[in-house]
């Protein structure tokens, strides 16, 4: 695990148009690591998971082919906005597409494959010890939080072991946890959709899929596995990135974050307050809001803390490497916040039009890319090239303004 650059380390600050030749202080691991045992462990469980899930869906396809095809397309489209959202939160752009794909695949195939028999075993033991009625009421609350949260979090640990220096901030781990949870959520919902279609009393194969999409996607989809796993991943992120903290504190945060994720999952799966909203779709919506909003609030707090730490890291790297001609102090403050970046673009669109707002968006992404390159490589050739892109985009932004307004001044005034 790498540590943030020491501001006291001798270095050369990067200016617009500068071209310096300095050795890279950091190396960044990719996710293709065939020399590491964790990579093959990942492939082993992934291969078993893919075989198991494909076999299940093929069995369902032989019975309800229309439902399988429709459900696959519907849940795939449902996943797209979540994928884009989680990708946008990776401010440093630390993870390549392969990393996100591996995270999604672990959740959707490896974790699901392992969770199905383990959950069945827990519920079987519960039925023998406490009776079938207790298991019907409390089985999901007992099996799901323990088994599924552990299996999903195991994927976070495996990916960190594969690409160790990819994870330099807490948010970089939280985003991967969210992707693993999303993969689990989508494949689990797909399985529920197919099984419901098989057991549906009528020949219509579209209706049961639509019903499951309404319940598990629209009504309850926001506070589900992606949120749980991102919360537990916060603890792992704190543990691996805060090496300067005492071991007992890092361990306590990791255990506490997992306990919070477990509690969120347990609360949602429990039969508590199940009659609070009455019957029908309206009652389901009320129950979902009553139980889901506290879960969403807890998850939002963890994401907020991780995002704040990411913003601090962005500001520290920028202050260490970049002069104001590449990034003004106001821009450094805004880059670490998704809300502040959008606020600047909104102000730019109102003041100078959509073209200026799009150019500012490109400038912000280029500046974030420059910060990442500097953190990984120092002020070497790659950083100089990234700096040239920033300078060019700043000139493009200035060209969209009135003659007396510069790009740096506009963004500063927007804050």
């Amino acid at each position: 695990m790498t540590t943030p650059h020491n501001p006291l380390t001798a270095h050369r600050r990067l200016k617009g148009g500068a071209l310096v030749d300095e050795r890279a202080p950091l190396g960044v691991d990719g996710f293709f690591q065939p020399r590491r045992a964790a990579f093959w462990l990942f492939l082993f469980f992934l291969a078993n998971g893919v075989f198991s899930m494909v076999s299940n869906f093929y069995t369902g396809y032989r019975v309800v082919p229309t439902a399988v095809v429709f459900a696959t397309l519907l849940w795939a489209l449902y996943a797209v906005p979540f994928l884009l959202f989680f990708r946008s939160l990776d401010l440093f752009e630390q993870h390549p597409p392969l990393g996100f794909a591996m995270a999604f695949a672990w959740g959707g195939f490896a974790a699901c494959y392992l969770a199905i028999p383990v959950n069945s075993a827990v519920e079987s033991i519960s039925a023998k010890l406490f009776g079938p009625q207790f298991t019907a009421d409390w089985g999901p609350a007992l099996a799901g939080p323990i088994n599924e949260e552990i299996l999903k979090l195991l994927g976070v640990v495996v990916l960190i072991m594969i690409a160790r220096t990819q994870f330099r901030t807490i948010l970089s781990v939280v985003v991967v946890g969210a992707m693993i949870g999303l993969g689990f959520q989508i494949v689990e919902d797909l399985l529920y959709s197919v099984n419901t279609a098989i057991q549906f009393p009528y020949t219509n194969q579209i209706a049961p899929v639509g019903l499951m999409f309404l319940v598990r996607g629209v009504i309850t989809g926001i506070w589900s596995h992606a949120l749980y796993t991102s919360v537990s991943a916060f603890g792992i992120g704190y543990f691996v990135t805060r090496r300067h903290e005492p071991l007992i504190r890092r361990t306590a945060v990791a255990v506490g974050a997992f306990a919070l994720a477990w509690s969120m999952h347990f609360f949602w799966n429990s039969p508590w307050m199940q009659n609070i909203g009455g019957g029908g779709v309206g009652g389901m919506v009320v129950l979902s809001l009553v139980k889901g909003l506290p879960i969403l609030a807890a998850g939002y707090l963890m994401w907020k803390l991780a995002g704040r730490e990411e913003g601090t890291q962005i500001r520290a790297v920028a202050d260490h490497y970049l002069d104001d001609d590449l990034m003004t102090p106001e821009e450094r403050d805004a880059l670490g916040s998704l809300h502040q970046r959008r606020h600047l673009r909104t102000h730019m669109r109102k003041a100078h039009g959509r073209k200026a707002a799009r150019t500012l968006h490109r400038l912000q992404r280029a500046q974030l890319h420059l910060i990442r390159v500097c953190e990984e490589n120092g002020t070497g050739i790659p950083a100089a090239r990234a700096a040239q892109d920033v300078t060019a985009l700043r000139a493009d932004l200035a060209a969209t303004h009135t003659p007396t307004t510069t790009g740096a001044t506009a963004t500063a005034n927007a804050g």
Side-chain angles (χ1 to χ4, degrees):
M1 184 67 210
T2 59
T3 55
H5 295 304
N6 184 351
L8 300 180
T9 304
H11 72 285
R12 301 172 65 180
R13 290 174 66 84
L14 192 66
K15 300 180 180 180
L19 194 64
V20 295
D21 188 8
E22 192 174 281
R23 289 241 178 224
L26 285 176
V28 179
D29 293 336
F31 283 91
F32 182 74
Q33 298 288 344
R35 294 186 178 182
R36 292 179 179 168
F39 180 78
W40 295 105
L41 180 68
F42 172 87
L43 289 184
F44 173 77
F45 285 112
L46 179 62
N48 281 275
V50 170
F51 178 80
S52 175
M53 293 298 107
V54 171
S55 298
N56 284 336
F57 292 133
Y58 178 71
T59 301
Y61 181 80
R62 296 176 62 182
V63 180
V64 284
T66 302
V68 172
V69 173
F70 179 62
T72 301
L73 292 175
L74 188 62
W75 286 112
L77 291 174
Y78 178 82
V80 170
F82 289 96
L83 292 170
L84 296 176
F85 174 70
F86 294 144
R87 177 64 174 171
S88 71
L89 293 177
D90 186 20
L91 299 183
F92 266 139
E93 297 181 336
Q94 294 180 67
H95 305 313
L98 177 61
F100 282 97
M102 290 173 66
F104 189 92
W106 177 276
F109 297 103
C112 276
Y113 153 72
L114 294 169
I116 292 174
V118 176
N119 285 349
S120 298
V122 170
E123 293 184 0
S124 176
I125 294 173
S126 173
K128 293 178 181 178
L129 293 177
F130 305 108
Q133 185 58 49
F134 176 87
T135 302
D137 294 336
W138 289 94
L142 295 176
I146 297 176
N147 303 328
E148 294 170 5
E149 295 309 319
I150 290 176
L151 293 172
K152 289 182 294 178
L153 195 60
L154 178 62
V156 177
V157 175
V158 169
L159 288 175
I160 291 176
M161 293 174 65
I162 292 173
R164 299 164 188 169
T165 57
Q166 281 279 338
F167 301 89
R168 301 189 296 276
T169 65
I170 296 176
L171 187 60
S172 68
V173 184
V174 170
V175 169
V176 164
M179 289 296 296
I180 290 175
L182 179 64
F184 189 98
Q185 179 178 337
I186 294 300
V187 175
E188 182 185 54
D189 290 342
L190 182 56
L191 284 171
Y192 272 105
S193 298
V194 173
N195 291 335
T196 301
I198 293 175
Q199 299 170 10
F200 200 62
Y202 304 104
T203 57
N204 190 322
Q205 298 183 28
I206 300 297
V209 175
L211 178 63
M212 293 307 299
F213 181 79
L214 174 65
V215 174
R216 299 185 64 88
V218 177
I219 298 178
T220 67
I222 297 178
W223 30 76
S224 189
H225 290 283
L227 189 62
Y228 307 149
T229 315
S230 67
V231 169
S232 59
F234 180 96
I236 300 298
Y238 188 95
F239 186 89
V240 300
T241 62
R242 299 295 183 91
R243 294 297 180 90
H244 58 284
E245 299 282 357
L247 178 62
I248 188 170
R249 180 181 300 172
R250 292 157 54 206
T251 303
V253 172
V255 173
F258 178 81
L260 178 59
W262 181 92
S263 300
M264 293 161 64
H265 198 163
F266 176 85
F267 177 64
W268 179 258
N269 282 11
S270 72
W272 291 336
M273 299 184 292
Q274 61 182 357
N275 297 321
I276 191 172
V281 176
M284 190 179 301
V285 172
V286 172
L287 176 62
S288 176
L289 292 174
V290 170
K291 299 182 74 171
L293 288 178
I295 294 174
L296 185 63
Y300 173 79
L301 177 62
M302 301 300 283
W303 278 86
K304 188 75 173 179
L305 292 175
R308 183 177 301 173
E309 188 258 359
E310 181 100 337
T312 301
Q313 178 78 350
I314 288 175
R315 181 64 191 253
V317 175
D319 289 346
H320 184 57
Y321 282 112
L322 305 179
D323 280 340
D324 290 349
D325 61 339
L326 285 172
M327 194 175 302
T328 67
E330 292 80 7
E331 290 170 340
R332 298 166 198 244
D333 292 335
L335 279 177
S337 168
L338 186 65
H339 172 74
Q340 287 297 322
R341 297 203 315 273
R342 287 177 176 172
H343 173 74
L344 290 178
R345 294 198 300 270
T346 300
H347 183 277
M348 184 66 68
R349 185 178 67 252
K350 293 179 179 179
H352 302 285
R354 294 184 179 276
K355 181 178 179 181
R358 288 194 297 266
T359 304
L360 177 59
H361 190 197
R362 293 169 57 201
L363 174 61
Q364 291 172 341
R365 299 306 300 178
Q367 288 173 330
L368 287 169
H369 176 72
L370 173 59
I371 293 174
R372 178 177 65 84
V373 171
C374 285
E375 189 190 36
E376 294 176 2
N377 304 315
T379 52
I381 302 298
R385 291 171 178 168
Q388 291 173 353
D389 292 338
V390 170
T391 302
L393 285 169
R394 190 178 295 284
D396 292 342
L397 184 62
T400 65
H401 296 176
T402 59
T404 58
T405 307
T406 65
T409 304
T411 53
N413 292 337

